[in-house]
């Protein structure tokens, strides 16, 4: 019997949170077919016992002094368009990520059938040519015809539903009729393979939507076992009220809910995570409520006045109007342009920014919270992105687990693998287990660390040796192999 891969001499951290153990792994096709401990003489494959010496392997990977873990799942991405632009997805596979959940913060490339001007933050997904998928089916087909090195799962963005159904008139709540139309589009999206609904209530495209509008839409998820994720209405002064709004939506619509990139934005709101995590912990007793975060104290999105106001420091990273704009502090750019900050924002729009506005203590508390998942929220379309795009996962492993010892490596990996697969319904992913898909990362636990910085954000991390997606090596020795083995993953609850 000839088997595709033997991965030997490594230490397995299986994603469940359980303690590591030494074992060899057999991978054949796109699956893990056997895991066997050092002293075992025979190996069970498809319920038959084989003598190790009777097996031969097409490839042998020596993982001595390395950890073998399930490929990481980036639960919060805006890679909707990036998977077509950079099929190797180096920004993610270089971190050990093998699956991305796209369509977050209320914006998804599909389903969208609208040709007018789009409000913020939709331009984060790309320019007008990018909006070419009127259904999730057409998006899925495009991916299947030309897959990337990563698996992709897609949420349906609430703002996309609003903009197309309300014909761009977003500065009001939706009428009853419009809600029914949005429900229909959402239902079709779920049937086509979308895994749920995301909102971006803090943004112009959706901030006029009342809670009831969201509840009515979220109710559609119940029938298709979809998930509800939310960039909440407010992450600053009204953070606590927004957590309560989210809990209410989840409870009344009776849906699995995820608070996206949980944070306390703005100096006057630092410390509020004590209260929000208490609320979340309490709510978890009666409903499915989860959260994700990224390991940085600066955020990044479009350049918007109400975000500029509460930040300590703002870096402007791009502008459509001023193409040759150099990344710089907003105050310095305003001086150059000889105008006020408000005038500058209008002059540059649409534009992007990095906002320094969170506190380490809140971040440490949120990331250590039981079951917090890891999501990068990276913006791949940005010429000078936030370092989270290339650094998130190795930073959690190297800085937050190894150096700061906020949690064990086993727990860190749980937060980026099985916890995420379970929550988002990604079947047979996120664990090293027989018959599970061979999405794997082999890394050096003493070396792994992010290298991307605010100054130099495009630096790949160190210590990630080999990344396997659906049984194929996609990243090795700091290089993409340009193997496009990714699959479009439809959600399925298996809790
Ligand atoms: Zn967001
Ligand atoms: Cu986001």
């Amino acid at each position: 019997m000839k088997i595709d891969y033997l991965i030997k001499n490594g230490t397995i951290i299986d994603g469940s949170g359980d303690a590591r153990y030494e074992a060899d792994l057999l991978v054949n096709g796109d699956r893990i077919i056997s895991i066997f401990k050092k002293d075992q003489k025979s190996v069970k494959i498809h319920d038959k016992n084989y003598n190790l010496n009777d097996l031969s392997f097409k490839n042998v990977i020596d993982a001595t002094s390395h950890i073998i873990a399930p490929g990481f799942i980036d639960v919060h991405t805006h890679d909707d368009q990036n998977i077509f632009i950079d099929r190797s997805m180096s920004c993610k596979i270089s971190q050990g990520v093998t699956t991305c959940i796209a369509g977050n913060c209320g914006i998804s490339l599909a389903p969208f059938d609208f040709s007018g001007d789009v409000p913020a933050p939709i331009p984060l997904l790309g320019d007008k040519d990018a909006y070419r998928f009127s259904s999730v089916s057409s998006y899925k087909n495009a991916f299947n015809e030309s897959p990337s090195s990563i698996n992709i799962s897609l949420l349906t963005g609430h703002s996309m539903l609003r903009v197309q159904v309300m014909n761009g008139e977003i500065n009001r709540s939706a009428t009853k009729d419009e809600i029914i139309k949005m429900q229909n589009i959402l239902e079709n999206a779920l049937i086509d393979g979308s895994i749920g609904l995301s909102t971006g209530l803090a943004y112009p495209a959706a901030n006029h939507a009342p809670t009831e509008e969201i509840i009515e839409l979220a109710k559609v998820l119940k029938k298709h076992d979809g998930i509800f994720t939310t960039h909440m209405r407010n992450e600053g002064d009204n953070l606590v009220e927004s957590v309560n709004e989210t809990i209410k939506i989840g409870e009344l619509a009776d849906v699995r809910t995820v608070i996206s990139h949980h944070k306390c934005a703005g100096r006057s709101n630092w410390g509020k995570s004590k209260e929000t995590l208490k609320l979340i912990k309490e709510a978890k007793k009666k409903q499915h409520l989860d959260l994700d975060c990224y390991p940085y104290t600066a955020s990044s999105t479009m350049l918007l006045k109400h975000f500029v106001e509460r930040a300590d420091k703002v870096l402007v990273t791009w502008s459509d109007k001023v193409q040759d704009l150099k990344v710089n502090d907003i105050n310095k750019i305003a001086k150059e342009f000889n105008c006020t900050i408000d005038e500058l924002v209008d002059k540059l729009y649409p534009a992007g920014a990095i906002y320094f506005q969170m506190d380490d203590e809140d971040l440490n508390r949120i990331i250590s919270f039981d079951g917090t998942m890891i999501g990068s929220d990276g913006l791949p379309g940005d010429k000078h992105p936030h370092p989270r795009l290339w650094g998130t996962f190795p930073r959690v492993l190297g800085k937050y687990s190894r150096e700061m010892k906020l949690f064990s490596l086993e727990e860190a990996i749980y937060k980026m693998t099985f916890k995420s697969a379970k929550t988002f319904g990604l079947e047979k992913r996120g664990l090293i287990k027989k018959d599970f898909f061979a999405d794997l990362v082999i890394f050096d636990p003493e070396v792994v660390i992010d290298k991307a910085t605010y100054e130099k954000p495009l630096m790949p991390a160190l210590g990630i040796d080999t990344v396997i997606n659906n049984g194929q090596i996609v990243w090795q020795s700091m290089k993409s192999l340009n193997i496009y083995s990714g699959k479009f993953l439809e959600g399925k609850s298996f809790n």
Side-chain angles (χ1 to χ4, degrees):
M1 188 165 183
K2 199 151 192 170
I3 288 162
D4 288 343
Y5 285 99
L6 165 67
I7 306 172
K8 62 174 192 183
N9 303 331
T11 299
I12 292 178
I13 295 184
D14 72 1
S16 68
D18 291 349
R20 64 194 78 186
Y21 62 95
E22 288 180 11
D24 293 352
L25 266 187
L26 296 186
V27 170
N28 205 31
D30 60 4
R31 305 289 175 126
I32 297 165
I33 59 161
S34 191
I35 304 165
F36 59 99
K37 302 242 160 85
K38 283 264 129 55
D39 39 13
Q40 264 174 251
K41 293 237 159 45
S42 68
V43 188
K44 212 176 198 168
I45 300 170
H46 306 312
D47 293 325
K48 266 171 105 183
N49 279 314
Y50 292 86
N51 196 314
L52 247 188
N53 300 326
D54 296 338
L55 298 172
S56 60
F57 307 98
K58 289 184 195 156
N59 305 281
V60 177
I61 300 174
D62 189 349
T64 303
S65 74
H66 282 59
I67 299 290
I68 310 168
F72 306 141
I73 298 168
D74 189 347
V75 296
H76 190 104
T77 85
H78 296 286
D79 288 316
D80 309 38
Q81 165 78 341
N82 197 32
I83 50 167
F84 299 115
I85 293 178
D86 176 14
R87 292 176 64 199
S88 75
M89 288 292 290
S90 296
C91 59
K92 297 294 167 72
I93 58 169
S94 62
Q95 300 182 55
V97 172
T98 53
T99 297
C100 283
I101 312 267
N104 276 287
C105 295
I107 55 174
S108 59
L109 215 48
F112 196 50
D113 193 359
F114 183 72
S115 53
D117 286 336
V118 295
I122 298 175
L124 288 178
L125 290 175
D127 54 25
K128 275 209 168 144
D129 325 336
Y131 315 139
R132 60 195 189 279
F133 301 109
S134 59
S135 68
V136 169
S137 287
S138 59
Y139 182 87
K140 180 169 71 178
N141 292 341
F143 181 76
N144 287 338
E145 267 166 39
S146 175
S148 68
S149 299
I150 221 162
N151 305 317
I152 194 98
S153 228
L154 190 69
L155 292 155
T156 296
H158 166 235
S159 295
M160 314 312 274
L161 301 177
R162 282 199 117 222
V163 169
Q164 59 191 310
V165 163
M166 297 167 76
N167 205 14
E169 274 179 51
I170 44 154
N171 292 327
R172 58 174 178 85
S173 50
T175 63
K176 258 197 177 140
D177 259 14
E178 287 165 340
I179 289 178
I180 292 169
K181 282 185 189 152
M182 288 195 260
Q183 285 176 325
N184 287 336
I185 301 174
L186 174 61
E187 175 140 40
N188 283 324
L190 294 165
I191 291 167
D192 287 352
S194 166
I195 56 165
L197 174 72
S198 77
T199 61
L201 298 173
Y203 291 108
N207 61 10
H208 285 83
T211 311
E212 291 65 37
E213 181 179 318
I214 315 300
I215 293 172
E216 286 312 305
L217 290 173
K219 280 180 181 167
V220 176
L221 299 169
K222 178 79 182 153
K223 192 166 130 200
H224 299 275
D225 207 9
I227 194 162
F228 171 64
T229 75
T230 179
H231 176 156
M232 298 189 298
R233 204 176 287 279
N234 192 292
E235 296 179 309
D237 292 350
N238 294 319
L239 171 65
V240 173
E241 291 81 347
S242 291
V243 170
N244 280 321
E245 181 187 25
T246 303
I247 291 171
K248 182 176 163 190
I249 295 166
E251 189 182 7
L252 294 182
D254 192 15
V255 287
R256 298 181 283 133
T257 303
V258 174
I259 296 174
S260 298
H261 44 60
H262 191 35
K263 63 170 82 73
C264 306
R267 221 164 242 283
S268 56
N269 301 304
W270 290 0
K272 283 187 178 174
S273 59
K274 279 188 214 146
E275 197 176 343
T276 59
L277 292 175
K278 216 161 129 194
L279 285 170
I280 293 167
K281 201 170 167 187
E282 210 38 52
K284 268 173 166 293
K285 291 179 187 160
K286 55 181 171 49
Q287 67 197 90
H288 285 284
L289 181 64
D290 284 290
L291 64 155
D292 64 67
C293 79
Y294 49 78
Y296 296 87
T297 53
S299 64
S300 179
T301 184
M302 291 188 75
L303 182 64
L304 295 170
K305 285 176 195 169
H306 65 292
F307 290 168
V308 172
E309 278 160 18
R310 70 178 180 206
D312 281 5
K313 180 180 156 181
V314 178
L315 288 180
V316 182
T317 55
W318 59 270
S319 161
D320 262 4
K321 296 254 178 63
V322 185
Q323 290 275 354
D324 54 353
L325 186 87
K326 285 230 164 59
V327 179
N328 208 341
D329 190 290
I330 195 165
N331 293 310
K332 288 187 185 148
I333 303 177
K335 229 181 206 165
E336 256 172 54
F337 279 71
N338 198 16
C339 65
T340 65
I341 301 278
D342 269 13
E343 288 162 354
L344 180 71
V345 174
D346 292 333
K347 257 183 208 167
L348 300 179
Y349 187 86
I354 293 174
Y355 304 91
F356 293 84
Q357 55 171 350
M358 283 98 88
D359 186 36
D360 277 313
E361 269 185 44
D362 284 312
L363 169 55
N364 296 349
R365 199 176 287 127
I366 290 168
I367 203 168
S368 309
F369 184 70
D370 187 20
T372 295
M373 296 173 285
I374 307 300
S376 70
D377 202 10
L379 300 170
D382 207 330
K383 263 175 262 155
H384 186 101
H386 185 300
R388 63 193 182 186
L389 179 67
W390 285 80
T392 292
F393 291 81
R395 184 173 171 88
V396 172
L397 301 174
K399 181 176 175 189
Y400 287 82
S401 178
R402 184 183 63 230
E403 290 172 13
M404 292 169 67
K405 299 192 170 35
L406 288 187
F407 34 76
S408 66
L409 193 54
E410 282 82 348
E411 197 178 338
I413 289 172
Y414 173 66
K415 287 171 178 292
M416 44 182 85
T417 58
F418 191 51
K419 172 64 190 170
S420 316
K422 241 186 342 187
T423 305
F424 283 84
L426 308 176
E427 225 185 354
K428 293 206 184 284
R429 311 264 170 192
L431 274 185
I432 294 190
K433 198 173 166 184
K434 191 171 162 287
D435 294 333
F436 270 53
F437 286 98
D439 288 347
L440 300 165
V441 50
I442 302 170
F443 68 92
D444 186 334
E446 300 304 320
V447 173
V448 66
I449 197 72
D450 58 305
K451 293 307 277 179
T453 62
Y454 293 101
E455 292 74 33
K456 282 190 168 175
L458 306 178
M459 303 289 286
L462 297 182
I464 305 289
D465 283 46
T466 304
V467 182
I468 297 175
N469 173 266
N470 293 308
Q472 308 230 36
I473 298 180
V474 292
W475 177 267
Q476 200 163 42
S477 311
M478 299 297 284
K479 269 204 293 288
S480 159
L481 302 191
N482 298 312
I483 299 290
Y484 308 123
S485 51
K487 289 183 183 161
F488 184 89
L489 306 183
E490 302 183 17
K492 214 178 222 174
S493 172
F494 64 102
N495 269 323

